[in-house]
Amino acid sequence: MTLPSHAQIVVIGGGIIGCSTAYHLAKDHKADVLLLEQGTLTSGSTWHAAGLVGQLRSSASITRVLKYSVELYKGLEAETGLATGWKMTGCLRLATNQDRWTEFKRLATTAGSFGMDMHLISPEEVKRMWPLMNVDDLVGASWLPTDGQASPSDITQSLAKGARMHGAKIVETVRVTGFEMKDGRIVAVKTTEGDVACEKVVNCAGQWARQVGDMAGINVPLQAVKHQYIVTEKIEGLSTNAPTIRDPDRRTYFKEEVGGLVMGGYEPDPQPWLTGDLPNDWAFRLFDDDFDHFEQHMMQAMERVPALENVGVKQMINGPESFTPDGNFILGVAPECKNMFVGAGFNAFGIASGGGAGWVLAQWVIDGEAPLDLWVVDIRRFAGMHRDRQWVCDRTLEAYGKHYTIAFPHEEYESGRPRLVSPLYQRLKTSGAVFGSKLGWERPNWFAPAGTEPKDVYSMGRQNWFEPAGDEHRHVREAVGVFDQSSFSKYELSGPDALKALDWICANDVAKPVGRLTYTQLLNTRGGIEADLTVARIADEKFYIVTGTGFRTHDFGWIADHIPDGLDCTLADITEEWGTLSLMGPKARDVLAAVTSADVSNAAFPFGHVREIPVAGATVRALRVTYVGELGWELHIPIAALGEVYDALMAAGGDHGIRPIGYRALESLRLEKGYRAWSSDITPNDTPFEAGLGWAVKLRKNIDFLGRRALEGLAGKPLKKRLMGFTVDDPSVVLAGRETILRNGEPVGYLTSGGYGYTIGKNIGYGYVRNADGVSDDYLKSGTYELVVAAEKTPATLHFGPLYDPSMDKIKA
């Protein structure tokens, strides 16, 4: 086929993701689509994928994406006439120790929360289902009957045929060589066969996605890793519909293929391919067999399936797969270029994800916003540090090595640290800080008491920081603490039209006098919450915007993308210019008054105000706002003066017992106060009304804003879900999120976040209670509630407001 001179949307890459995206663009949206493949379809990593199709992930939206894949693969052959090799064999995951078994019990609960049926079964049942397996070391297994396997090349060809049937053009053996750019947008794709003018580009180039992105100045943080598996000769007694097996404690997986087994694994010492650009001429190519490196998997596999000792190996596949620094794939619109979308980095989950990823990516390309909460895979979760290819390689290899390790709650990555540190890093370390990492920033999670090793000890139950974090929590409730939150993302929007832009972007009313600040959400066209942040008006034409550390690229991009055309204002990221100390607790005012000449009384400096005040020779931007539910200020300090201001606060606070506090305590404090966390309690799937944040929406004012139309459409109608608080009295229970909420014994939702409230002495969880006929106060009050925690039911109490409110000086739980 000759290359057309123009296409509405150009998809780059003819693997399963590119073909699925082209199929959905053509079928669902009747778009004019051109797919370009440098070799032939499937010639990158699709053709040598193992083809396991699992569905359960820890995010409800991603699980929905994977479930969609399964539904699509089931019916695709009937539509296109091309077989997909889809077999719903089910999947067994094996557990050989109690921590893994607890993880599976939690997974089974998550599966139930997301509407899937995962069974926990005994070693005897495993043996019945898979007679060739040695089950002597098993505690049990999880069984997900709707998982399965497919032929990667066949599915891709079937999707490609479907795309063509709906009008998409597919051209093979043509390579993209660059882009013609204008005002930060792509206007044409340059190829070995000529240029194609276009409106949007979707980069599905697999492990080449990074260098395709480079051509347009965008960063796709990927690392190709050598992934090996073997295909055995026929094995006597192996059923053709034997379930797929994941044996994570032995780091291996199995699936039946033509009477033999496909067996591979995820080793702790993986081998990267190149950190530089990959060769373009790698169609249908593999690396040499590396049996020495693979031997660790062979040994484990033969102990699990003894029949493997006496069976020949038909072939070894040693091919590159694209992996990411956090083990999640990459979707969405690139922050550096408004009309390039990316679907890449599938971490050997490409076949399981392909159908669903193409569906949501196509919708994203057409609408310009994600159809679901896809934050965990959003390309905007990355930042400038992810341009460092060696750092990306090191972190990606660590993530690959953890593919099958037990997922302990709160586990931190160790590679590439420390990357970014605040000027207080050494001071806090000396005070016993145990650091975690967020978007490269080292942040104190908790402080080890004297005589305790400052180190996390992971477990499935209460972890070693539980008591120290509780002491920090109580200290903030009773006295005063200081949090180093310098990693906060900080922007300035300035110019004559800055207010006009924020009026449109923000759901709350930011048109307040200079010196006032506003908590606001940013909404999508569905009325879902895309971000929540504080906006402080520091001059007539200047606003200071503060948001969470991990949302730096995402929130900056959302604001920048939604400033209406023609407005005169400038958005700048000034994160590194300012440090932040949050001074919180009932004695916060006493400490602040001792270090500044400014009047910080309630009359002079009320809640929701911002003032510039002198502290230790520096001009500090003080914001009277709290995320912990106590009297306090966020002190934004020019970064060079952070140390002096911290030392002054610590010296003046000595009489009041001031001490540094970590993020673990911050989390338990905010849970008691009922503050919502974006990406868990509030997401693009949730409206402010459902989240109990309707008070922060300016519907009463006659100002149009993004998402207003959707909210007006919902106003006055019964809510079908509402975010509620729950407490559990049993101290042995550990809430981590995603536990199922039962009302009168029936599932009505699941927890979005969970933890412990040290002031009230109870476990706390938040989650949406759902009911198709409406969730009224009467409906909520008339039910009896339980939570399913690690497959066990435990009684729970439902709450409407904050569980603790110091302004009312009483505990509500």
Side-chain angles (χ1 to χ4, degrees):
M1 180 187 274
T2 52
L3 212 56
S5 61
H6 176 274
Q8 181 192 353
I9 300 163
V10 175
V11 177
I12 302 168
I16 191 166
I17 309 300
C19 289
S20 177
T21 303
Y23 167 82
H24 286 94
L25 281 166
K27 184 183 179 201
D28 297 350
H29 306 287
K30 310 294 180 269
D32 165 28
V33 184
L34 169 67
L35 185 148
L36 304 176
E37 162 55 46
Q38 66 177 356
T40 52
L41 296 185
T42 79
S43 64
S45 55
T46 296
W47 72 276
H48 63 73
L52 277 70
V53 181
Q55 300 164 87
L56 183 62
R57 298 298 282 268
S58 58
S59 146
S61 290
I62 302 306
T63 300
R64 192 172 150 196
V65 166
L66 300 184
K67 282 167 82 171
Y68 176 93
S69 294
V70 166
E71 291 307 310
L72 179 68
Y73 301 162
K74 277 184 196 170
L76 197 58
E77 183 177 351
E79 183 188 341
T80 66
L82 289 185
T84 59
W86 167 250
K87 281 202 299 189
M88 196 169 86
T89 53
C91 177
L92 285 167
R93 285 177 179 80
L94 311 180
T96 67
N97 58 65
Q98 284 305 324
D99 277 344
R100 180 74 71 183
W101 190 234
T102 302
E103 181 184 43
F104 283 4
K105 287 196 282 191
R106 289 184 172 275
L107 273 175
T109 300
T110 299
S113 293
F114 297 167
M116 296 170 75
D117 212 5
M118 180 183 270
H119 308 272
L120 298 171
I121 65 175
S122 69
E124 294 73 30
E125 289 173 277
V126 174
K127 185 77 175 169
R128 270 203 303 280
M129 294 167 76
W130 232 90
L132 296 177
M133 193 191 302
N134 171 17
V135 299
D136 294 352
D137 60 342
L138 294 191
V139 179
S142 71
W143 166 239
L144 201 53
T146 53
D147 278 0
Q149 61 191 66
S151 161
S153 295
D154 290 347
I155 291 182
T156 305
Q157 295 292 354
S158 193
L159 286 164
K161 184 174 180 190
R164 289 190 189 101
M165 284 163 58
H166 292 286
K169 298 181 193 74
I170 296 177
V171 183
E172 297 175 288
T173 65
V174 58
R175 194 169 78 247
V176 173
T177 57
F179 299 99
E180 188 183 325
M181 311 283 291
K182 189 177 175 190
D183 300 330
R185 299 176 77 92
I186 296 166
V187 292
V189 179
K190 299 178 178 181
T191 82
T192 47
E193 301 291 321
D195 294 359
V196 182
C198 64
E199 291 161 34
K200 292 176 181 179
V201 172
V202 194
N203 175 0
C204 299
Q207 49 214 357
W208 291 271
R210 182 163 70 177
Q211 53 227 61
V212 168
D214 272 349
M215 297 172 190
I218 76 156
N219 182 39
V220 185
L222 296 177
Q223 176 62 47
V225 181
K226 298 177 181 181
H227 184 73
Q228 296 190 91
Y229 65 86
I230 57 167
V231 185
T232 74
E233 302 284 1
K234 207 165 170 11
I235 298 174
E236 274 312 307
L238 179 65
S239 161
T240 51
N241 52 8
T244 56
I245 302 290
R246 286 182 172 83
D247 189 1
D249 296 323
R250 294 182 182 271
R251 302 197 184 97
T252 49
Y253 60 79
F254 303 88
K255 76 160 190 171
E256 184 277 335
E257 189 166 291
V258 203
L261 278 177
V262 166
M263 186 280 287
Y266 291 86
E267 62 276 16
D269 55 341
Q271 298 174 312
W273 195 16
L274 307 166
T275 47
D277 283 356
L278 310 184
N280 291 316
D281 56 345
W282 192 262
F284 297 113
R285 281 177 61 185
L286 295 170
F287 304 111
D288 293 338
D289 296 351
D290 188 347
F291 277 102
D292 288 346
H293 189 71
F294 195 70
E295 187 184 13
Q296 54 189 309
H297 297 315
M298 283 302 299
M299 303 305 292
Q300 296 287 353
M302 287 190 298
E303 287 182 27
R304 177 63 67 217
V305 184
L308 283 172
E309 289 183 46
N310 308 311
V311 70
V313 173
K314 212 182 326 185
Q315 69 180 134
M316 169 172 261
I317 305 279
N318 184 5
E321 293 262 11
S322 211
F323 286 81
T324 65
D326 62 3
N328 286 321
F329 47 86
I330 300 175
L331 288 183
V333 61
E336 306 92 338
C337 174
K338 282 186 179 183
N339 65 339
M340 181 184 267
F341 294 78
V342 179
F346 280 84
N347 304 281
F349 275 105
I351 309 308
S353 318
W359 159 56
V360 291
L361 191 53
Q363 191 81 47
W364 206 331
V365 170
I366 295 296
D367 294 346
E369 65 182 40
L372 300 171
D373 167 27
L374 296 170
W375 167 243
V376 293
V377 296
D378 194 323
I379 191 168
R380 295 188 176 196
R381 70 188 187 273
F382 301 117
M385 57 183 279
H386 293 95
R387 289 186 175 273
D388 177 340
R389 289 191 170 189
Q390 190 56 53
W391 188 94
V392 166
C393 179
D394 294 345
R395 177 58 60 87
T396 300
L397 293 183
E398 184 186 4
Y400 179 105
K402 285 183 166 176
H403 193 89
Y404 275 162
T405 58
I406 292 168
F408 289 111
H410 312 292
E411 193 174 350
E412 295 277 350
Y413 284 103
E414 290 171 12
S415 58
R417 294 177 57 187
R419 178 78 189 190
L420 299 167
V421 297
S422 105
L424 303 182
Y425 180 71
Q426 218 45 57
R427 287 175 176 82
L428 297 173
K429 203 170 184 177
T430 306
S431 300
V434 181
F435 291 92
S437 171
K438 191 72 169 272
L439 208 62
W441 285 88
E442 293 292 316
R443 315 191 311 173
N445 277 337
W446 60 285
F447 289 84
T452 307
E453 189 186 359
K455 185 181 170 206
D456 284 317
V457 179
Y458 300 122
S459 78
M460 278 297 182
R462 296 274 180 230
Q463 297 183 355
N464 66 323
W465 49 264
F466 183 73
E467 293 300 338
D471 290 342
E472 294 171 34
H473 173 117
R474 282 183 283 274
H475 197 80
V476 174
R477 286 277 182 251
E478 291 161 13
V480 60
V482 62
F483 301 81
D484 180 9
Q485 296 191 277
S486 299
S487 63
F488 271 159
S489 307
K490 312 165 198 85
Y491 324 123
E492 270 180 4
L493 185 69
S494 51
D497 294 328
L499 175 59
K500 202 178 278 185
L502 287 173
D503 264 343
W504 166 249
I505 295 166
C506 298
N508 205 348
D509 183 14
V510 294
K512 292 178 178 155
V514 174
R516 294 290 301 277
L517 63 87
T518 308
Y519 164 79
T520 183
Q521 293 118 42
L522 315 185
L523 307 182
N524 56 39
T525 56
R526 304 188 308 279
I529 302 169
E530 287 286 343
D532 75 326
L533 36 77
T534 54
V535 177
R537 192 169 196 177
I538 51 175
D540 274 337
E541 296 185 358
K542 188 184 274 188
F543 293 83
Y544 182 58
I545 301 168
V546 184
T547 188
T549 306
F551 313 136
R552 180 176 180 175
T553 310
H554 175 274
D555 291 6
F556 184 89
W558 185 268
I559 295 167
D561 288 351
H562 291 90
I563 293 172
D565 290 342
L567 293 191
D568 182 3
C569 57
T570 306
L571 182 65
D573 185 325
I574 54 169
T575 297
E576 274 83 9
E577 293 172 30
W578 294 82
T580 306
L581 295 175
S582 290
L583 183 70
M584 298 284 155
K587 296 181 179 173
R589 182 176 281 118
D590 301 334
V591 176
L592 193 56
V595 295
T596 182
S597 54
D599 184 350
V600 293
S601 67
N602 196 51
F605 199 155
F607 187 78
H609 284 63
V610 54
R611 301 264 187 278
E612 292 205 333
I613 64 173
V615 180
T619 301
V620 171
R621 206 171 264 178
L623 281 63
R624 176 98 189 268
V625 64
T626 175
Y627 191 55
V628 302
E630 290 290 346
L631 171 69
W633 283 263
E634 271 177 26
L635 304 174
H636 293 252
I637 301 150
I639 198 85
L642 189 68
E644 287 81 11
V645 171
Y646 177 79
D647 293 343
L649 289 171
M650 294 306 282
D655 295 346
H656 305 288
I658 195 169
R659 57 186 273 197
I661 308 290
Y663 273 80
R664 297 263 184 268
L666 183 79
E667 175 67 4
S668 67
L669 289 158
R670 76 101 188 159
L671 283 169
E672 285 188 341
K673 186 67 176 78
Y675 288 129
R676 281 71 167 130
W678 190 81
S679 83
S680 52
D681 306 318
I682 50 176
T683 76
N685 292 346
D686 312 307
T687 69
F689 300 150
E690 294 164 340
L693 296 170
W695 56 269
V697 178
K698 58 189 178 208
L699 277 181
R700 283 189 299 277
K701 291 198 71 168
N702 191 22
I703 299 172
D704 197 15
F705 60 88
L706 184 57
R708 179 175 185 126
R709 214 157 304 147
L711 293 187
E712 284 176 336
L714 298 169
K717 292 181 181 164
L719 293 172
K720 293 183 178 177
K721 64 175 190 183
R722 277 171 70 180
L723 187 72
M724 302 303 294
F726 295 88
T727 53
V728 171
D729 294 349
D730 182 347
S732 70
V733 165
V734 179
L735 298 181
R738 295 182 293 282
E739 292 84 0
T740 311
I741 302 165
L742 301 177
R743 178 185 177 275
N744 299 344
E746 294 297 315
V748 290
Y750 55 89
L751 296 189
T752 50
S753 58
Y756 191 80
Y758 296 94
T759 313
I760 66 172
K762 293 177 184 180
N763 294 291
I764 299 174
Y766 288 92
Y768 288 89
V769 175
R770 293 165 163 80
N771 180 33
D773 296 329
V775 186
S776 63
D777 284 7
D778 285 348
Y779 172 85
L780 290 165
K781 287 173 185 166
S782 63
T784 305
Y785 294 90
E786 296 165 292
L787 298 177
V788 183
V789 185
E792 302 282 329
K793 292 179 187 175
T794 185
T797 308
L798 175 129
H799 300 270
F800 279 82
L803 300 162
Y804 173 83
D805 192 339
S807 61
M808 298 167 74
D809 202 26
K810 67 181 183 192
I811 294 172
K812 291 187 170 181

